[in-house]
Amino acid sequence: MQCVVTGGNVKVLAKAIHSLSRIGDELYVEPQEDGLALRSVNSSRSAYACFLFSPLFFSRYSTPNGHDFRCKMAIKSVQAVFRSLATLEKTVEKCHIELDEHKNKLTFTLHCKHGLLKTHNLSFQDSESLQAVFDKDNCANVFRAQPRVLVDTVVHFAPSLEEVTVSVSDERMWIKNHVEDEAERSKAMLTELCLASDEFDHFAVQAQNSITFCLKELRGLLVFAEATGLPVSIYFDEPGSPVVLSVADSVLEGNFVLATLSDEPSVHKNNSRGTRSAPSPPPDDFMNDDIDSYLIAMDTSVAPEPLTASPPRPPRPSLPDSTCSKRPAAANHRTRTHSDEGKEEDGEEDETVDSDRPPNKKFRSLFFGSVLPPSSQMSTQPMSCQEVLASDSEDESQTD
Amino acid sequence: MPLSTQSQIEDEQYVFMASLDNARNISNILKAIAFKDHAVFTATPNGLKVTVEDSKCLQANAFIQVEVFQEFTIKEDVVGFQVNLTVLLDCLNIFGGSTAPGVSTALRICYKGYGYPLTLFLEEGGVVTVCKINTEEPEETIDFEFCSSDVTNKIILQSENLKEAFSELDMTSEVLQFTMSPNQPYFRLSTFGNSGNAHYDYSKDSDMMELFKCTKTQTNRYKMSLLKPSTKALALSCKVSVRTNSRGFLSLQYLIRNDDGQICFVEFYCCPDEDVEED
């Protein structure tokens, strides 16, 4: 594979790699006939991102015909190639990328001002195809907004905040910080923003749902969207099925697929499988949580005055890995949007039953096509919605 | 300048005495070579030379010319002493590190001779701080025997270009390899890290290249850990001269312009890494 990126597109490519680095530690590179695909997935496989740069994005793009080749490498080493993002636009005139299968080398050559030539030869590993299975076109809720709208929204949340809950009605979208349990809730600062439908370029709601997902990856995408000025589309169905964030223009497409918190009982049953493939969430994502909930539990035990009449719960310290009961979010949701009543009713009851159960894994991993033998058809082909929810144990063996 | 109003009699006891209006002019330069605690100061009628060494493989010299000082008196041909550079810099930073605009700290450095402490008078807004730093037995500094007649390859380039390369260097690489050649690639910096290798090639015709005098192709490796400290000097500098001699020793000379537009030099000598098989 050989390709040449020139001018402002070098920065676009660099930004894409930087936003992929928010997702996972490895970059999967796959030159396809329809363009260069760059992908990443997080360690618990609950977030996946893919950028596809069409051949027109490049001033030259050629792939060897007839056989597929794909590889992965540490994303950090690719980031290092584009380290000085700020000066990139001013200094780099041309970027030449060459994938040499025989020498196992991916070469980035940056032609810079003042005759400086930077050559990075990166070693890589062969890899299976990485492909999340999602179908954004059949999602019930579809939105599109200018990046500025979302950036201005997200800026109100603390950098340490992990998850946000997005709720939608026919005319509005609410975004609030997700607080895990009742004890924390009474202490935490709650932030909620409401966006009217006219803030969006496109606003279509078929299912008045509320989903909770990680903010980190959204922020990562926004960095890219803001730099390129591309509108961000959001697609989602229901709690537990993934949310898809995407940006696209005529020469590139980026899709971020994020798992959402599930609060459906049926999903909990499947979940025993899901937890296996995501045994320990990355410490930087969840560590703080645990300490916080532990400390708060300690705190409340000193002054045992529950602020809300919540059902008795197992003592928190004994569950250091505990995640949350979804009750607060759901309850809150109901009081606000009465129109949701019918749909939420079932979930609501089940939730109450749920709260005495051992906690479930927060996010289930997405199902990846990587378990399938590499095939060119796999690349961008959407699969049925059902499979998205399931996480296969074979998946795990693929991770390493 | 209140410091200079002190009595002449007192001044006469010092074998070395220097003063300057802005302590930062000296502290900035010293910071650039402060990679080890101990520094040997050598004062001559030309100015002050400060030497710091590491592992007998790297030597850094800061030359602060006599013009930088408002007063510079020396009673002997050469006055030498060794002090803890970290302590000296702490004194300069704590008592003279004001970064407020328009505020500068005047500094007078005095040394009575062998066995006496180094005395610093720092004056800022009418307040004088006196610091006495014990001097140490000066260690002998290494002579790298890097004479200009033996220089094989020499280039001078504007620092701007090199700063970029140094800020991006792959620190997982144990060595930094310099290739200088009359032919392509002319001047190349290479690293060999965990994720692969990287080369930075500088064209000899670049407008950043002020002088290009390479006579022979030379490829030498230097320990990254030894060269990394020179980044501080590079950051302050506006021009850099890169030279190698026939034995593969590297000399990096940085031309540094201080706040008042005066020129100082910081020079690094580095031994090449042991010869390794070319792969």
Side-chain angles (χ1 to χ4, degrees):
Chain A
M1 187 270 299
Q2 273 202 42
C3 58
V4 177
V5 188
T6 49
N9 280 358
V10 178
K11 196 184 170 188
V12 173
L13 181 68
K15 283 274 178 190
I17 289 164
H18 275 260
S19 63
L20 286 172
S21 74
R22 303 277 189 115
I23 304 280
D25 298 330
E26 277 173 329
L27 180 72
Y28 291 74
V29 179
E30 187 175 344
Q32 301 170 174
E33 233 153 78
D34 58 342
L36 178 67
L38 301 177
R39 306 188 173 98
S40 190
V41 65
N42 70 354
S43 58
S44 58
R45 302 218 150 195
S46 62
Y48 159 91
C50 170
F51 281 98
L52 182 69
F53 297 97
S54 85
L56 285 173
F57 175 84
F58 305 92
S59 36
R60 203 173 78 218
Y61 182 83
S62 64
T63 56
N65 291 332
H67 75 291
D68 294 317
F69 184 79
R70 47 187 78 85
C71 63
K72 65 176 177 183
M73 64 200 71
I75 202 159
K76 260 195 206 152
S77 55
V78 188
Q79 254 184 304
V81 176
F82 302 105
R83 193 163 292 164
S84 43
L85 259 188
T87 58
L88 209 58
E89 221 166 0
K90 275 179 271 164
T91 57
V92 181
E93 286 161 350
K94 194 164 87 173
C95 172
H96 186 268
I97 306 169
E98 188 175 353
L99 188 69
D100 188 331
E101 299 165 43
H102 306 294
K103 288 185 184 158
N104 272 5
K105 262 189 347 190
L106 180 66
T107 305
F108 287 84
T109 312
L110 303 178
H111 298 257
C112 304
K113 286 243 164 74
H114 309 297
L116 173 58
L117 191 69
K118 300 179 189 175
T119 313
H120 293 260
N121 298 311
L122 308 178
S123 41
F124 58 75
Q125 290 171 274
D126 290 348
S127 84
E128 71 285 359
S129 174
L130 177 75
Q131 182 62 51
V133 183
F134 60 95
D135 179 12
K136 64 184 185 187
D137 297 326
N138 287 328
C139 280
N141 300 324
V142 181
F143 313 89
R144 192 171 63 247
Q146 291 303 313
R148 200 67 245 168
V149 174
L150 295 173
V151 168
D152 288 346
T153 306
V154 165
V155 79
H156 295 284
F157 297 105
S160 59
L161 178 70
E162 277 157 12
E163 295 116 24
V164 284
T165 301
V166 171
S167 317
V168 288
S169 74
D170 283 340
E171 273 153 16
R172 292 194 199 313
M173 176 186 281
W174 289 271
I175 300 157
K176 61 170 185 268
N177 55 332
H178 173 70
V179 182
E180 297 219 323
D181 57 70
E182 209 79 25
E184 235 175 289
R185 196 171 179 78
S186 62
K187 297 223 162 72
M189 180 173 77
L190 302 175
T191 307
E192 180 170 316
L193 285 110
C194 178
L195 298 174
S197 59
D198 57 7
E199 302 236 31
F200 292 80
D201 300 346
H202 181 78
F203 195 95
V205 175
Q206 282 175 33
Q208 301 195 341
N209 269 336
S210 172
I211 55 160
T212 300
F213 57 93
C214 280
L215 189 54
K216 190 178 111 186
E217 289 83 10
L218 170 62
R219 284 199 163 115
L221 177 71
L222 287 178
V223 168
F224 179 83
E226 209 187 7
T228 52
L230 294 177
V232 178
S233 303
I234 305 167
Y235 305 83
F236 69 88
D237 262 323
E238 54 187 6
S241 62
V243 56
V244 182
L245 307 163
S246 66
V247 288
D249 70 7
S250 53
V251 292
L252 67 90
E253 185 184 350
N255 286 306
F256 281 48
V257 185
L258 314 177
T260 62
L261 268 184
S262 73
D263 54 10
E264 307 257 338
S266 57
V267 170
H268 283 155
K269 276 162 208 150
N270 293 345
N271 213 17
S272 50
R273 276 212 304 169
T275 42
R276 219 154 24 111
S277 69
S280 53
D284 57 330
D285 275 8
F286 299 103
M287 189 71 94
N288 292 340
D289 254 5
D290 299 338
I291 292 166
D292 280 354
S293 59
Y294 183 78
L295 288 179
I296 285 158
M298 300 284 283
D299 211 46
T300 46
S301 64
V302 176
E305 285 169 308
L307 289 159
T308 48
S310 56
R313 278 202 306 254
R316 306 304 284 177
S318 66
L319 293 168
D321 202 10
S322 74
T323 48
C324 61
S325 87
K326 308 300 175 323
R327 257 183 115 254
N332 199 37
H333 181 75
R334 191 167 65 152
T335 50
R336 202 182 48 242
T337 54
H338 290 279
S339 45
D340 281 359
E341 209 83 339
K343 203 170 170 69
E344 285 290 301
E345 202 83 82
D346 308 39
E348 198 64 27
E349 279 166 20
D350 290 309
E351 279 309 316
T352 328
V353 177
D354 248 18
S355 56
D356 276 341
R357 275 206 230 161
N360 292 293
K361 210 57 256 151
K362 280 213 277 198
F363 292 109
R364 275 125 22 73
S365 119
L366 303 162
F367 179 76
F368 289 102
S370 62
V371 293
L372 298 170
S375 107
S376 52
Q377 282 101 328
M378 263 313 297
S379 52
T380 47
Q381 190 183 6
M383 295 290 232
S384 77
C385 269
Q386 241 69 21
E387 282 178 285
V388 176
L389 290 173
S391 166
D392 211 284
S393 51
E394 281 170 79
D395 214 9
E396 196 178 14
S397 59
Q398 292 285 346
T399 356
D400 301 311
Chain B
M1 164 91 215
L3 281 182
S4 54
T5 59
Q6 291 194 357
S7 69
Q8 282 303 123
I9 305 122
E10 203 180 304
D11 287 354
E12 276 163 18
Q13 329 165 20
Y14 298 116
V15 294
F16 167 65
M17 203 266 303
S19 64
L20 66 169
D21 290 343
N22 189 353
R24 246 190 308 157
N25 283 345
I26 188 166
S27 60
N28 276 346
I29 300 286
L30 294 183
K31 261 183 232 166
I33 59 162
F35 54 87
K36 283 280 163 189
D37 275 348
H38 301 284
V40 176
F41 284 68
T42 315
T44 66
N46 292 326
L48 187 62
K49 180 173 102 169
V50 188
T51 307
V52 180
E53 290 181 345
D54 186 6
S55 322
K56 302 275 181 209
C57 292
L58 178 75
Q59 183 182 72
N61 294 299
F63 297 98
I64 305 155
Q65 274 143 313
V66 68
E67 289 79 24
V68 174
F69 299 93
Q70 272 69 53
E71 258 185 286
F72 194 92
T73 47
I74 176 164
K75 300 251 175 70
E76 293 161 19
D77 289 343
V78 181
V79 174
F81 54 88
Q82 180 175 322
V83 291
N84 187 318
L85 185 59
T86 315
V87 172
L88 174 64
L89 276 173
D90 281 348
C91 291
L92 293 175
N93 287 335
I94 295 167
F95 305 110
S98 169
T99 48
V103 181
S104 66
T105 311
L107 167 73
R108 166 177 295 201
I109 306 165
C110 303
Y111 179 59
K112 274 186 190 167
Y114 184 80
Y116 285 94
L118 180 72
T119 313
L120 306 179
F121 297 91
L122 287 145
E123 193 255 79
E124 188 183 306
V127 181
V128 178
T129 313
V130 183
C131 308
K132 288 189 176 174
I133 304 168
N134 285 340
T135 51
E136 301 161 354
E137 195 71 47
E139 277 164 33
E140 205 163 318
T141 56
I142 307 161
D143 182 3
F144 276 71
E145 290 170 6
F146 197 103
C147 53
S148 40
S149 57
D150 186 32
V151 168
T152 313
N153 293 318
K154 175 179 181 175
I155 60 161
I156 298 177
L157 74 166
Q158 290 178 24
S159 303
E160 207 53 49
N161 242 0
L162 209 55
K163 277 179 202 170
E164 198 182 314
F166 268 77
S167 67
E168 292 177 8
L169 283 183
D170 179 359
M171 295 311 291
T172 62
S173 173
E174 239 179 71
V175 293
L176 179 59
Q177 178 176 292
F178 281 68
T179 304
M180 291 166 93
S181 166
N183 310 306
Q184 275 214 323
Y186 306 115
F187 178 48
R188 165 178 278 192
L189 299 176
S190 313
T191 55
F192 308 87
N194 293 341
S195 56
N197 55 46
H199 305 290
Y200 287 75
D201 295 345
Y202 293 82
S203 143
K204 82 178 166 106
D205 305 316
S206 161
D207 43 354
M208 286 286 183
M209 193 72 78
E210 301 214 338
L211 179 95
F212 186 87
K213 247 169 83 180
C214 293
T215 57
K216 210 178 126 203
T217 303
Q218 255 188 330
T219 302
N220 292 301
R221 294 180 169 194
Y222 306 92
K223 282 247 181 306
M224 185 69 93
S225 55
L226 290 173
L227 286 186
K228 192 65 189 169
S230 72
T231 316
K232 275 192 206 163
L234 175 64
L236 291 173
S237 69
C238 45
K239 279 183 201 177
V240 54
S241 150
V242 183
R243 299 180 300 163
T244 52
N245 70 9
S246 58
R247 294 183 302 152
F249 280 63
L250 176 72
S251 147
L252 296 168
Q253 290 176 320
Y254 298 101
L255 186 148
I256 297 170
R257 213 177 281 277
N258 70 14
D259 294 354
D260 300 332
Q262 293 148 328
I263 287 172
C264 298
F265 287 96
V266 172
E267 177 180 57
F268 286 82
Y269 291 117
C270 189
C271 298
D273 211 28
E274 268 180 50
D275 282 335
V276 280
E277 302 289 301
E278 284 297 314
D279 43 346

